[in-house]
Amino acid sequence: MPSLSPRPARVTADASRRGPLATPAEVAEYLGVPVKTLYQWKYRGIGPNVHKVGRHLRYRWTEVDAWLNARAAYDLAV
């Protein structure tokens, strides 16, 4: 039986290098927050859209980026 190597832990911001779905750990690293925060946001309904794939939670990178862009509404330019 071939051995399965774990996915790389480092997430790049380059969308062309990311797959379509992300684990909570990958999204947490990308956003710079603990995984526990993502679970709290899911419970409170304030985080990026999350989908259940079987019993696992997965995020679509396009939805994570859209959620992040919607929160960047503060115009800090003077």
Side-chain angles (χ1 to χ4, degrees):
M1 177 180 268
S3 64
L4 299 175
S5 61
R7 297 183 78 187
R10 185 174 179 121
V11 177
T12 68
D14 184 14
S16 65
R17 303 183 96 193
R18 301 185 296 200
L21 297 176
T23 65
E26 291 171 330
V27 173
E29 183 178 341
Y30 177 67
L31 296 176
V33 299
V35 174
K36 185 175 179 179
T37 299
L38 287 178
Y39 289 125
Q40 289 173 353
W41 287 349
K42 177 189 177 301
Y43 177 77
R44 296 169 69 192
I46 61 172
N49 251 358
V50 63
H51 306 277
K52 285 194 83 173
V53 179
R55 63 183 183 139
H56 304 283
L57 296 179
R58 295 293 181 259
Y59 293 86
R60 287 189 178 121
W61 282 115
T62 55
E63 293 176 349
V64 172
D65 288 334
W67 176 84
L68 188 59
N69 289 337
R71 262 95 205 126
Y74 296 107
D75 186 17
L76 299 178
V78 178

